[in-house]
Amino acid sequence: MSMQTNLSLSSQRTDNLAGIIDVPGDKSMSHRSLILGSLAIGTTKVTGLLEGADVLATADAMRALGVDITRHDDGTWVIVGQGLHGLVAPETALDLGNSGTGVRLLMGVVAGQAITATFTGDASLSVRPMARITDPLQQMGTHVASRDGGLLPVTITGQSEPMAISYESPVASAQIKSAILLAGLTARGDTEVIEPHASRDHTESMLRHFGATVEQTVRDDGTHHVQLHGGAQLIAADIAVPRDPSSAAFPMVAALLTKGSDITLPSIGMNPLRTGLITTLIEMGGDISILNPRDEGGEPVADLRVRHSDLHGINIPAERAASMIDEFPILSVAATQAYGTTIMNGVAELRVKETDRIKVMADGLIAAGAIVSYDDDTMTVTGGPIAGGMTVNSQHDHRIAMSFLTLGLISNAPVSVEGCETIHTSFPDFAKIMQNAGANIAETGS
Ligand code: S3P
């Protein structure tokens, strides 16, 4: 795969975004399609797969674990499943690049196989915490060796029958939950994960789609429990991946903020555990119509029509954070254009994403002239004019790059963003697609 390095883009004031914008497939579901298809018996066909760097890294890792995965010319991906015990030890380390989801879910997969694999990643992934995954896996009997403090490279030696555990996660994290459930697939008995709030449940839905028995319950104390019955084979089943609501977030906010805009985003995934941003923007006064709600391949989807709106600030409850965890950077851009103050509560997890997203967004927004403050778990933005005229670096974070390019569309002077090659992680054609809708985004210097 070739990818341009050191791509700098700059964006400037734009009005009248228009047309139909097709965003790529859902990143979370794309990773899971490749992983569960590999562990099933039979052949799984996947349509709508996100062909971004993160997902391609997971496909390469599954191939290194012995799975036959091919992309057909019509864009369909075909996975020849190896069954629950069919993976082989990779000859070299598995490099998951920038992908936290890929590396963490695959640690769970390897924990359930009698093989050893070493995991590596890029500069951003190499400083992200992995103990949150390896600690519960060790409780299941997995042998783990890692760099100081639980950082990559991590070497996992799994077992063909790990111990079934009940794990109470301190944070609502689909990556933690999914790694444990994937390891639990080959355990004898029921594996349980308990979360303080519900995180996205694509693993649970897709496991059921492949025939596994998974139960989700909410207890009186508000905790969310997921139980997987281990040992049952997964049976191949085709998957249609919906378009990613976390990618739709960028054109959605761009259209709300720019005068005269009116865009349509077809077939966006509307899983209720992913729609916190849409709820929030509507509460802020955003004109977002949810059209043709329907079920496609077992997941709810809808077309979204988004028009320029005058927004006002709101206080966003902490319980909603997990359902919009990847959308806070672009929401903080929207909040700069809302009348009054927007308070984002329960955002501590942003500090351990591809970057410390609270600090990186606050620093860049303040440099652009916005009014922003934050503490460990809260970020506050007060609306006002944006001067722009500055350069920020993505710090290997796709969502930081796209957020600041969106900010430039409403800034008085252009915003330049270095390190835009990282956008390829989740939204390969972002700049082109936004340009086609009328956005003033160009390569710096061109
Ligand atoms: C993801 C879960 C989220 C999210 C990430 C994708 C997933 O992370 O930020 O982009 O696919 O499971 P956490 O589960 O750690 O919050």
Side-chain angles (χ1 to χ4, degrees), residues 104-116:
R104 291 177 171 141
L105 268 53
L106 285 181
M107 285 181 187
V109 169
V110 170
Q113 308 277 316
I115 59 174
T116 296

Side-chain angles (χ1 to χ4, degrees), residues 48-375:
L49 190 97
L50 164 64
E51 296 178 351
D54 273 17
V55 174
L56 298 179
T58 290
D60 283 345
M62 293 317 306
R63 289 183 180 118
L65 290 164
V67 185
D68 181 358
I69 300 179
T70 41
R71 180 192 189 278
H72 288 192
D73 289 345
D74 66 355
T76 304
W77 285 67
V78 178
I79 307 156
V80 182
Q82 301 297 302
L84 278 188
H85 292 280
L87 300 185
V88 299
E91 282 168 16
T92 53
L94 302 175
D95 181 357
L96 273 303
N98 192 244
S99 181
T101 305
V103 81
R104 291 177 171 141
L105 268 53
L106 285 181
M107 285 181 187
V109 169
V110 170
Q113 308 277 316
I115 59 174
T116 296
T118 296
F119 295 88
T120 63
D122 72 3
S124 154
L125 194 57
S126 298
V127 292
R128 294 182 65 185
M130 296 299 151
R132 52 175 52 202
I133 304 295
T134 54
D135 286 353
L137 293 183
Q138 277 175 309
Q139 289 179 24
M140 299 176 85
T142 308
H143 185 267
V144 177
S146 67
R147 192 157 57 90
D148 290 352
L151 302 178
L152 295 181
V154 169
T155 300
I156 300 268
T157 301
Q159 306 175 84
S160 56
E161 198 176 275
M163 226 131 51
I165 59 166
S166 173
Y167 184 72
E168 187 156 354
S169 178
V171 286
S173 160
Q175 294 177 352
I176 297 174
K177 175 176 62 179
S178 301
I180 297 167
L181 294 177
L182 288 167
L185 279 172
T186 54
R188 191 187 307 189
D190 289 352
T191 295
E192 181 182 46
V193 183
I194 304 163
E195 297 187 287
H197 303 291
S199 64
R200 65 192 67 191
D201 62 354
H202 302 300
T203 301
E204 294 90 311
S205 310
M206 215 181 275
L207 279 169
R208 274 193 216 102
H209 184 61
F210 281 85
T213 306
V214 185
E215 273 156 33
Q216 292 164 270
T217 47
V218 187
R219 296 279 162 89
D220 290 345
D221 62 0
T223 55
H224 288 251
H225 294 235
V226 179
Q227 268 181 326
L228 166 76
H229 188 63
Q233 289 293 351
L234 301 179
I235 307 300
D238 294 347
I239 296 169
V241 178
R243 298 183 190 278
D244 197 325
S246 302
S247 296
F250 299 99
M252 193 186 302
V253 168
L256 288 174
L257 302 190
T258 52
K259 291 206 174 58
S261 292
D262 184 351
I263 62 161
T264 300
L265 299 156
S267 300
I268 303 301
M270 294 292 285
N271 179 312
L273 294 170
R274 298 288 299 281
T275 50
L277 177 74
I278 296 175
T279 306
T280 299
L281 290 171
I282 291 173
E283 283 177 9
M284 292 172 78
D287 184 349
I288 301 174
S289 312
I290 299 170
L291 307 171
N292 307 316
R294 56 200 184 272
D295 196 276
E296 273 180 14
E299 280 280 330
V301 300
D303 308 325
L304 303 177
R305 181 171 179 193
V306 187
R307 282 174 275 198
H308 171 249
S309 309
D310 291 328
L311 301 180
H312 55 83
I314 61 166
N315 192 344
I316 304 160
E319 305 81 70
R320 196 183 291 166
S323 70
M324 52 184 294
I325 195 67
D326 291 332
E327 284 73 83
F328 283 106
I330 190 62
L331 177 66
S332 67
V333 171
T336 70
Q337 299 309 293
Y339 179 76
T341 297
T342 300
I343 305 170
M344 303 168 225
N345 298 291
V347 294
E349 274 292 295
L350 294 188
R351 295 192 172 273
V352 289
K353 294 297 176 188
E354 285 81 334
T355 50
D356 176 344
R357 285 182 171 158
I358 297 183
K359 178 171 167 28
V360 175
M361 282 313 299
D363 287 351
L365 289 174
I366 290 167
I371 306 160
V372 182
S373 62
Y374 60 90
D375 59 29

